[in-house]
Amino acid sequence: MAATLLILSIAIPWFGALVVWLAGDARPRLQHGLAVAFSVLAGAVAVALLPFSSSQILLSIPVGGAFGDFTFAADGLGVFLAVVATVVGSLAVIFSVGYMRGEQQLGRYYALVLFFIGAMVGLVLTTNLLLIFFFWEITALCSYALISFYNDDPKAVAGGIKALIITQLGGVGLLLGALMIFSYTGSFDLRDFIAQAGNIPQTALAVMAFGFLAAAAAKSAQFPFQTWLPDAMEAPTPISALIHAATMVNAGVYLLVRFYPAFAEVPGWRTAVMLVGMLSALLTAIMAMVATDLKRALAYSTVSQLGYMVYAVGAGGLFASQFHLMSHSVFKALLFLSAGAVIHGVGTRDMRLMGGLGQKMPFTRAVFVIGALALAGLPILNGFWSKELVLEAGLVGGPLWMWVVMLVGAGLTACYTFRMVWMVFYGQPRAKLHAHEAGAAMKTALAPLAAGTLLTWLLAGPFSKLLESTLPLHALESHSTLHYLEEVALAPATLIAMVVIALGLAAWWQRARLQGLVNALSGVARAAADSFGFEAINRGIVRATQNSAENLRVTQTGLVSWNIFGIMAGLVLVLVILLLGA
Amino acid sequence: MWHVLASLGILVCAIQAIRSQRLLMSALWLAGTSALVSLLLYLLGAPEVAVIELSVGAGLVTVLFVFAINIAGEEAIHLRSPLPRVLTWVTVIAATVLVGWMVFPGMAMPASVPVAEPSFTTTLWVDRRVDVLLQVVLIFSGVLGVLGLLSEGRAGAQKESRQ
Amino acid sequence: MTLNITNVAVLVVLGLFATGFYGLLAVRNLIKVVVALQILVKGAMVALVAAGNLTGQLQAAQSMALTVIVADTIVAVVALALAVQVRRCIGTLDIKALTSLKR
Amino acid sequence: MDATTALTGLILTPLVASPLVYLFGRLAARAGAPRNPARWLALVVLAAALAFLFPAGQAVLNGSAVEVVDGAIALRMDGIGLLLAAAVLVLGLLVTLFSSPYMAGEEGEEKFYALLVMMCGTMVGLGCASDLFNLWIWFEAMAVSSYMLVAFYRQQGASLEAGVKYLVQSAAGSALVLLGIALVFSQSGTTSLAAIRAGAAAGSGPVLMAAGALFLIGFGVKTALVPMHTWLPDAHSQAPSGISAMLSGVVIEAGLVALLRAVGALAGVSTSWGLLLMVFGAMNILLGNLMALRQKQVKRMLAYSSLSHVGYMLIGLGVTVGFQLAQGAAGGFFHLLVHVLMKGLAFLAAGTLLYALHLAQGSHHPLVADDLNGAARRYPFIALVFSLALLSLGGLPPLAGFMSKWQIFVAGVQTHNMAVIVLVVFAALNSVLSLGYYAPLINRMYRKEIGPVVEMGKPVPVVMAVPLALLALALVAAGFYPALFGWLVNPAAASLLVAFGG
């Protein structure tokens, strides 16, 4: 039964992808309907898998050799992420019915979304390293194809290719790590690896650990790979919500959590993880302060929040990191989708042109504000509880100065969130925009997410129970919800955090008075707008590669004599190597 | 003694074939090379193949060359070599010296006593019959290739079919 | 080093090898490129027969050399046909004119 | 049918039938038949050969190499020979099918099919050769039958030019091989590969080492090892698309097999063979990728990408040769097979578009990247399979190209040798770089604004789509279940390991 459900949770979206593709672009209504049906069905199957979560292998397809056996397990961690992927996925698809109405090539759009959902489920449910890499790459492929969905827009094409290449570059780390693991343990099963990690030579284990960290950082758009995510915002907004906020970017955090027991003892690894998380959280929070594009601002905040999760993993707070991941998936999907409703309504993404939209779009404003408050970490909303847990984990498991930096980041988060809400929904309209409220399909998707943002923190207890059934060697204890609430509410750290967040809000409120400080910080702001030079590094590498490629083309002279010269040169080369080898 | 003379002749002819400016002369020098090679083959103890080399290499191939030069026309292209002269010499000498240095000691031994072997005919037609079959394949492919490259085109084909 | 026949044959092989490759590198007329190829293969053929002479297996070497002659002639024929067609179509035999395909 | 008879039939069928194909085709052309029957004959001949392959292959898979002995020469089919024969015949069949509309009405159609059949036959034989000199002559026969196919458009200057370069380089390479054979013969007194291997292990010398170098370079020209690769982009881009697929899919691989056979006989002479293969592999990967990066002509870009894929195969094979790990060769041969599928598919798909956009309108313009703008709107199926092929070439799952690269990398890391691991990382990074030229092509095809060239494109005949569909299906299937071709790949790897004394 459980094995059937597991197969179905991957197969239904993939089969759906095929069906929607074959339905043909001539029948858009049918395509919308099919896509919704398949994605909702997949969500139902994944939810049905919840009670079956266990740390046993459910399914094993013998392949052998260099590929290992294809094994799957529905353990707590995996099922949780599978549920997030399919449920948020189905909501994004429902939202798309309204958002993508009238677009061409819907078949390609929905097929890729469904293909992505299936791959994401596969990624978190398999225990075979090859398959992890396999699904990992498929998610990257879908992400690339969907970012450049509007192929006529050169920015979309460039953004897609950039995302593909940067995540692939990081993927080389995962590849190397996985191959090293196989060469030392003779197996691709990650349970074998985690069990035997102690027997692997330290240097080899370090290569694996840092390889995985590079892969995770690239996938989760963490420092120093963060540049691709803002550019990925050229994608249709439901895609940004689903792939670039709620699911795929979590894969990096998932990877770190998954292999934490094996790598925790590697010297320097935990510090490096925390450092990556901290730098990402801080730098992108500053960038979000000056962003003018609504989606880019949200993208920066995504990187920043992912930084909190990564930081928590490094500090050993696996539960806190996953809990924040859950909250973030819900409220960030909500923010992106409601931003999508705004963009769909007004036809621009530039926040400088918006303002005062709240009156025309009251529903959208309401849900957006709920999401924003959760992002800022204000009490009662789910973001508050999870962020406080992250900060507590950091205080316990990491150095104090990093904790202070993360606190500052939390203050910045509150500040830029407020700025965003203000610029979009309040104040005077800055341009003549014909805004209209979100349609029925969009509202259907937004309402559950808003409810989730208000309520998911109540699930802390059941959630920890679920994570208890994660694969062996993960020491995750379960507690009741009340325990967590007490833990957060009674900790003095929470109070400090609240003060900082309040300061952040006050800073926005009193921005006129702080003009002097703003001016002082303008240099930082300019640097932030320039992504702190990382864009320049990216461009430099690309240009250097292209120039060397262009220069190398001279070698193809097209003259037979030079071709023969190549043969002679090859002969001399081989003879010399052979003589040296002898 | 003869083999030294023949060898010197071969090298001179070959170099002349490359050096000579006129195509026709080049082809004739090549024929000379071929004839002297056939002499050397004879001296090496391969009379049958020497005869064939003389008739095919020095005869047939030269005819083909002359034929081709007639059609293509004698074109005076005595401009400089397309590659830097130094590079040409360096690579040729480097490759030759390296190969020679590796090969010469192993080859410079007296010829061994001929082992008992079947006759040339048997070797060719029985032992290496597959090679002969492949010669046929080669000839067929070559002829098809030439036909494909040189046939007169549409007009020619139609004329042919009318006849 | 004595000037026995195998020694000399090896020298001839090397000489033909060098001359042939020099030709391929330095010559600009397509038909002369074919001449250079012929010289190259003649060198290899002499090497084959000399090898037969060395190991005392002359008949095997002879039959191989015969096959080489046939194969080589066929290649020369196709190459000359190609040269003729190049002359017809492009109007010159200069290989420097044959550089439209590059990069 | 017993295996020996089957092997005889397999080798003789194409060789004997090729003249018949020409003859019937010629007669029909003279009679003015509107549809030349040569294409159907070629199809039948290749299918018949494939039918012969089954019993012969069955025996090989059961663990006994099949042998046909004629005089002193034995044709022996082992794992490698079987792999090559299967690849050649399957791709040959699909290319014949594809060419029937593509080449329809071209002058000299019957010669095209006759030579295509001949080329397939010679490659099958080449895979079975167990005698060094015999190997060379199969190789030469393959080369001669392909010269005219490359220069098929003989009214086009560019096509002739490609033919000239191909011929000159190929002939120079085969002269080097011949010199190598003479050197080996002078030392071993035999041309049987097995006997040479036995003799070379005992007493070796610099002469055999030089011979090995000559084999590596001579066959390396056909395998397109850098820096002997310069003929390849010209030939692949100028030949008719079916032939491009054959050249890239099987001819360079046949060169690789010949190289492995010849060098394998001299395995005991030097310990550097594995290193050399990997050095060439690295050069091929890097140069192929960089040259393709700025390429605007689609077929030329695919040709350069062939270079880099040969590089991946070489790394896998080099691991086996250098470290005696069967995994590497399994990966290398798996990649060879997958390359047949994906590069065959890529060239045929590009050829279909070339046909629809240019050739069918009587123009011999090359297909450039800009021509593809919006192709998915008019040719959704072609665009889909072309994208699949490109993504597989770039090594993305769930396509076969990912799995074969994976296996090669697994083997490389298994050596636990620092240099090889670095090489694996280098190859993986290059795989990422290659996306920099595959991905933009895909984006172009899925643009919504149709380019002017696509606007005027002609419809694509259904017959051309059949081979594309089959290849794409195989590509996806092997991507999901990589052990799919294990039965074919593992015996080949075992054979290679035997050849290099594992």
Side-chain angles (χ1 to χ4, degrees):
Chain A
M1 177 64 189
T4 320
L5 282 176
L6 196 155
I7 296 179
L8 281 180
S9 63
I10 303 174
I12 287 177
W14 279 10
F15 180 67
L18 200 65
V19 172
V20 176
W21 177 283
L22 292 177
D25 290 343
R27 279 167 291 182
R29 289 180 65 90
L30 180 66
Q31 283 178 322
H32 284 303
L34 282 171
V36 169
F38 277 107
S39 61
V40 169
L41 195 59
V45 169
V47 170
L49 199 57
L50 273 174
F52 295 98
S53 75
S54 75
S55 48
Q56 299 303 311
I57 292 292
L58 274 183
L59 176 70
S60 178
I61 304 167
V63 180
F67 309 105
D69 290 345
F70 289 0
T71 47
F72 294 87
D75 70 332
L77 185 60
V79 172
F80 154 60
L81 285 165
V83 169
V84 170
T86 49
V87 170
V88 179
S90 55
L91 291 175
V93 169
I94 293 171
F95 185 85
S96 302
V97 173
Y99 190 85
M100 299 298 284
R101 176 162 291 145
E103 287 283 348
Q104 289 169 327
Q105 300 188 344
L106 275 178
R108 180 156 66 93
Y109 175 79
Y110 279 127
L112 285 167
V113 172
L114 288 167
F115 193 47
F116 167 80
I117 294 174
M120 194 64 209
V121 173
L123 169 64
V124 293
L125 291 185
T126 182
T127 62
N128 176 312
L129 277 164
L130 162 62
L131 285 190
I132 287 185
F133 189 66
F134 177 86
F135 288 119
W136 180 275
E137 298 285 284
I138 295 182
T139 57
L141 172 67
C142 294
S143 155
Y144 143 73
L146 285 166
I147 294 169
S148 41
F149 179 71
Y150 299 118
N151 273 312
D152 291 317
D153 180 358
K155 268 166 74 185
V157 171
I161 291 174
K162 183 175 179 186
L164 182 66
I165 288 186
I166 289 185
T167 50
Q168 295 291 89
L169 271 182
V172 173
L174 177 58
L175 173 83
L176 180 66
L179 296 176
M180 297 271 288
I181 288 170
F182 179 71
S183 77
Y184 279 100
T185 66
S187 156
F188 277 124
D189 196 322
L190 59 89
R191 293 171 311 156
D192 292 350
F193 165 59
I194 295 176
Q196 298 175 23
N199 307 333
I200 295 175
Q202 275 296 317
T203 39
L205 196 62
V207 170
M208 298 169 197
F210 284 97
F212 277 34
L213 177 58
K219 197 72 160 183
S220 292
Q222 297 291 291
F223 177 87
F225 297 105
Q226 76 278 36
T227 49
W228 69 265
L229 192 63
D231 287 2
M233 292 301 128
E234 303 299 330
T237 306
I239 300 307
S240 308
L242 173 64
I243 299 184
H244 305 120
T247 54
M248 187 187 82
V249 287
N250 293 339
V253 181
Y254 162 77
L255 194 74
L256 294 177
V257 171
R258 194 47 121 190
F259 290 93
Y260 179 79
F263 296 146
E265 298 307 315
V266 173
W269 186 73
R270 282 180 49 196
T271 315
V273 172
M274 279 190 280
L275 211 57
V276 166
M278 186 199 79
L279 285 172
S280 316
L282 186 67
L283 290 180
T284 46
I286 297 173
M287 287 186 224
M289 297 285 295
V290 293
T292 54
D293 178 319
L294 176 54
K295 283 181 74 181
R296 282 181 90 92
L298 284 174
Y300 287 129
S301 88
T302 305
V303 176
S304 174
Q305 296 305 305
L306 286 166
Y308 278 88
M309 296 174 214
V310 170
Y311 168 75
V313 176
L318 299 189
F319 173 79
S321 129
Q322 290 306 294
F323 194 47
H324 192 50
L325 191 154
M326 173 162 82
S327 307
H328 177 254
S329 300
V330 176
F331 73 67
K332 193 48 72 60
L334 173 65
L335 280 173
F336 261 114
L337 289 182
S338 43
V342 171
I343 293 163
H344 195 256
V346 301
T348 175
R349 303 192 327 215
D350 195 336
M351 288 194 284
R352 286 170 298 190
L353 302 178
M354 298 174 186
L357 292 177
Q359 286 142 2
K360 290 175 190 160
M361 322 176 72
F363 179 84
T364 311
R365 175 179 64 183
V367 293
F368 192 92
V369 167
I370 292 174
L373 293 180
L375 171 62
L378 290 182
I380 308 301
L381 294 152
N382 63 2
F384 163 72
W385 301 103
S386 55
K387 196 180 284 181
E388 293 308 327
L389 277 175
V390 166
L391 287 172
E392 252 175 59
L395 192 57
V396 174
L400 188 65
W401 67 273
M402 281 198 194
W403 182 75
V404 173
V405 172
M406 295 310 276
L407 264 188
V408 173
L412 288 174
T413 310
C415 190
Y416 71 69
T417 311
F418 212 71
R419 166 178 177 264
M420 202 154 57
V421 173
W422 191 265
M423 283 180 85
V424 175
F425 291 106
Y426 294 94
Q428 292 305 311
R430 282 182 285 272
K432 277 201 186 302
L433 292 173
H434 294 281
H436 60 81
E437 179 61 289
M442 293 188 186
K443 280 181 179 167
T444 319
L446 289 172
L449 285 170
T453 308
L454 287 168
L455 298 174
T456 53
W457 54 277
L458 289 171
L459 295 174
F463 180 58
S464 72
K465 192 92 193 139
L466 178 67
L467 284 192
E468 215 182 12
S469 65
T470 300
L471 294 178
L473 293 161
H474 277 81
L476 290 168
E477 298 167 27
S478 74
H479 298 289
S480 67
T481 307
L482 212 59
H483 171 91
Y484 287 114
L485 300 190
E486 276 176 12
E487 194 184 322
V488 170
L490 298 182
T494 307
L495 220 69
I496 304 175
M498 292 319 299
V499 171
V500 172
I501 290 172
L503 275 176
L505 288 177
W508 171 251
W509 213 252
Q510 298 296 322
R511 58 190 180 282
R513 294 225 183 129
L514 293 175
Q515 199 56 51
L517 189 65
V518 172
N519 288 344
L521 286 176
S522 65
V524 179
R526 245 193 329 258
D530 254 352
S531 326
F532 293 105
F534 283 104
E535 281 299 334
I537 295 175
N538 273 3
R539 278 195 299 269
I541 292 174
V542 169
R543 199 175 311 125
T545 314
Q546 294 205 329
N547 282 348
S548 58
E550 190 64 48
N551 294 336
L552 201 65
R553 292 179 70 189
V554 180
T555 58
Q556 186 77 13
T557 53
L559 192 62
V560 184
S561 314
W562 279 111
N563 295 1
I564 298 290
F565 174 76
I567 297 180
M568 298 293 282
L571 181 61
V572 172
L573 176 77
V574 169
L575 286 171
V576 167
I577 289 182
L578 278 176
L579 283 172
L580 288 179
Chain B
M1 196 58 228
W2 280 108
H3 59 264
V4 178
L5 286 182
S7 304
L8 284 177
I10 289 172
L11 292 180
V12 169
C13 288
I15 291 167
Q16 281 302 318
I18 297 296
R19 277 192 56 200
S20 102
Q21 299 293 358
R22 292 188 53 212
L23 285 181
L24 208 54
M25 289 312 290
S26 191
L28 292 178
W29 281 116
L30 182 66
T33 316
S34 205
L36 289 170
V37 162
S38 112
L39 175 59
L40 185 63
L41 294 182
Y42 177 81
L43 294 172
L44 278 165
E48 285 93 344
V49 96
V51 172
I52 293 166
E53 169 66 20
L54 192 63
S55 58
V56 175
L60 177 62
V61 172
T62 312
V63 171
L64 285 170
F65 266 103
V66 172
F67 204 61
I69 293 166
N70 262 335
I71 301 177
E74 179 80 48
E75 191 181 351
I77 306 170
H78 32 74
L79 298 166
R80 286 187 45 225
S81 140
L83 259 57
R85 193 169 287 270
V86 183
L87 208 58
T88 316
W89 282 108
V90 168
T91 38
V92 168
I93 290 171
T96 316
V97 167
L98 273 174
V99 173
W101 187 52
M102 290 171 87
V103 163
F104 201 78
M107 298 280 272
M109 47 183 170
S112 57
V113 194
V115 287
E117 261 193 313
S119 71
F120 176 64
T121 335
T122 324
T123 330
L124 185 63
W125 289 102
V126 178
D127 283 357
R128 304 202 70 91
R129 194 162 54 185
V130 181
D131 288 353
V132 179
L133 166 75
L134 281 170
Q135 289 180 23
V136 179
V137 168
L138 268 171
I139 293 172
F140 171 74
S141 305
V143 168
L144 263 197
V146 173
L147 283 179
L149 284 168
L150 291 184
S151 63
E152 281 297 320
R154 279 279 128 108
Q158 277 164 10
K159 207 191 302 163
E160 213 175 299
S161 60
R162 240 182 280 127
Q163 281 169 352
Chain C
M1 192 180 84
T2 52
L3 283 180
N4 72 21
I5 190 155
T6 37
N7 273 346
V8 171
V10 172
L11 287 178
V12 167
V13 170
L14 289 175
L16 288 176
F17 177 78
T19 318
F21 266 112
Y22 177 82
L24 286 178
L25 287 173
V27 147
R28 280 182 54 177
N29 190 314
L30 195 48
I31 288 185
K32 275 178 77 176
V33 170
V34 185
V35 170
L37 281 176
Q38 286 282 308
I39 290 172
L40 212 53
V41 177
K42 293 226 184 306
M45 195 172 58
V46 172
L48 257 182
V49 175
N53 183 294
L54 256 177
T55 55
Q57 302 202 339
L58 269 168
Q59 302 312 327
Q62 278 209 71
S63 74
M64 286 192 268
L66 173 74
T67 313
V68 173
I69 293 176
V70 172
D72 182 38
T73 310
I74 289 297
V75 172
V77 168
V78 177
L80 287 174
L82 203 53
V84 167
Q85 187 65 21
V86 165
R87 168 76 198 203
R88 273 190 200 159
C89 209
I90 303 175
T92 174
L93 286 171
D94 188 352
I95 55 166
K96 265 207 150 168
L98 290 174
T99 50
S100 71
L101 300 170
K102 56 173 137 190
R103 308 214 143 186
Chain D
M1 193 188 316
D2 76 309
T4 316
T5 325
L7 183 58
T8 319
L10 169 62
I11 291 173
L12 282 181
T13 310
L15 303 188
V16 172
S18 167
L20 297 178
V21 171
Y22 173 67
L23 212 63
F24 280 108
R26 187 81 210 123
L27 289 176
R30 276 195 173 193
R35 284 166 158 249
N36 201 313
R39 62 184 81 158
W40 309 123
L41 269 173
L43 215 55
V44 169
V45 171
L46 290 173
L50 203 56
F52 278 121
L53 182 65
F54 281 107
Q58 203 63 49
V60 174
L61 293 180
N62 288 339
S64 58
V66 183
E67 212 170 25
V68 178
V69 185
D70 185 282
I73 296 174
L75 291 170
R76 187 165 174 282
M77 180 176 259
D78 59 357
I80 301 177
L82 175 62
L83 176 78
L84 186 64
V88 165
L89 291 178
V90 169
L91 191 64
L93 258 179
L94 296 178
V95 163
T96 312
L97 200 59
F98 173 85
S99 298
S100 81
Y102 191 92
M103 301 305 291
E106 291 285 350
E107 178 201 336
E109 220 183 329
E110 68 282 353
K111 298 184 192 91
F112 175 87
Y113 288 109
L115 283 175
L116 183 60
V117 168
M118 189 61 102
M119 193 166 84
C120 291
T122 50
M123 275 189 278
V124 172
L126 178 119
C128 299
S130 70
D131 177 288
L132 190 52
F133 185 76
N134 194 233
L135 178 71
W136 177 81
I137 181 113
W138 281 111
F139 184 75
E140 193 70 4
M142 172 184 91
V144 169
S145 53
S146 60
Y147 291 149
M148 181 249 171
L149 291 175
V150 168
F152 185 80
Y153 297 120
R154 62 193 175 80
Q155 310 293 352
Q156 304 291 319
S159 169
L160 289 174
E161 183 187 330
V164 166
K165 288 174 192 165
Y166 179 47
L167 188 146
V168 171
Q169 275 184 273
S170 194
S174 83
L176 288 180
V177 172
L178 204 53
L179 191 60
I181 292 174
L183 294 185
V184 171
F185 189 58
S186 77
Q187 301 299 299
S188 326
T190 171
T191 50
S192 155
L193 288 171
I196 296 168
R197 189 175 307 131
S204 56
V207 179
L208 290 186
M209 217 189 263
L214 290 168
F215 291 151
L216 201 56
I217 298 300
F219 288 124
V221 172
K222 202 49 133 260
T223 321
L225 305 184
V226 171
M228 289 85 78
H229 66 283
T230 33
W231 62 272
L232 181 137
D234 300 352
H236 286 205
S237 61
Q238 292 306 316
S241 296
I243 298 307
S244 311
M246 287 300 280
L247 284 179
S248 183
V250 288
V251 171
I252 55 179
E253 279 79 356
L256 186 59
V257 167
L259 190 157
L260 291 174
R261 290 249 194 255
V263 176
L266 302 174
V269 174
S270 167
T271 49
S272 309
W273 300 127
L275 170 74
L276 276 170
L277 289 184
M278 284 190 258
V279 167
F280 276 119
M283 291 201 296
N284 265 46
I285 290 177
L286 185 65
L287 193 97
N289 274 334
L290 286 179
M291 293 294 280
L293 198 58
R294 308 284 289 165
Q295 191 52 250
K296 289 281 168 267
Q297 291 181 26
V298 176
K299 282 177 76 176
R300 229 171 144 74
M301 191 207 85
L302 291 175
Y304 280 120
S305 102
S306 293
L307 287 184
S308 72
H309 284 276
V310 168
Y312 288 105
M313 292 174 216
L314 286 174
I315 288 180
L317 299 169
V319 165
T320 296
V321 171
F323 296 88
Q324 317 295 335
L325 277 173
Q327 192 78 268
F333 284 127
F334 186 25
H335 197 64
L336 188 153
L337 203 60
V338 169
H339 187 246
V340 172
L341 298 176
M342 59 191 182
K343 200 43 83 55
L345 179 57
F347 267 119
L348 293 188
T352 313
L353 290 173
L354 177 66
Y355 175 80
L357 301 181
H358 291 306
L359 281 181
Q361 302 170 14
S363 141
H364 273 277
H365 275 294
L367 186 69
V368 295
D370 283 330
D371 295 352
L372 296 181
N373 286 353
R377 295 291 295 285
R378 275 209 59 173
Y379 309 103
F381 173 73
I382 308 293
L384 175 66
V385 293
F386 196 23
S387 308
L388 285 180
L390 291 173
L391 292 172
S392 177
L393 287 167
L396 285 179
L399 298 159
F402 166 76
M403 289 297 179
S404 52
K405 277 184 192 169
W406 174 271
Q407 198 172 4
I408 291 170
F409 294 164
V410 166
V413 174
Q414 262 183 337
T415 60
H416 286 239
N417 178 315
M418 202 56 215
V420 181
I421 293 178
V422 170
L423 183 62
V424 165
V425 172
F426 169 81
L429 287 176
N430 267 285
S431 193
V432 177
L433 172 61
S434 73
L435 291 170
Y437 53 91
Y438 294 129
L441 270 193
I442 300 174
N443 282 322
R444 275 179 192 288
M445 287 192 288
Y446 284 96
R447 287 181 74 141
K448 291 183 188 90
E449 279 167 24
I450 293 194
V453 183
V454 175
E455 199 89 66
M456 303 200 304
K458 293 271 187 289
V460 170
V462 183
V463 184
M464 280 170 123
V466 174
L468 298 180
L470 291 174
L471 286 168
L473 209 61
L475 215 50
V476 174
F480 277 109
Y481 192 68
L484 188 65
F485 294 119
W487 57 275
L488 195 55
V489 168
N490 292 330
S495 300
L496 186 74
L497 205 55
V498 169
F500 280 90

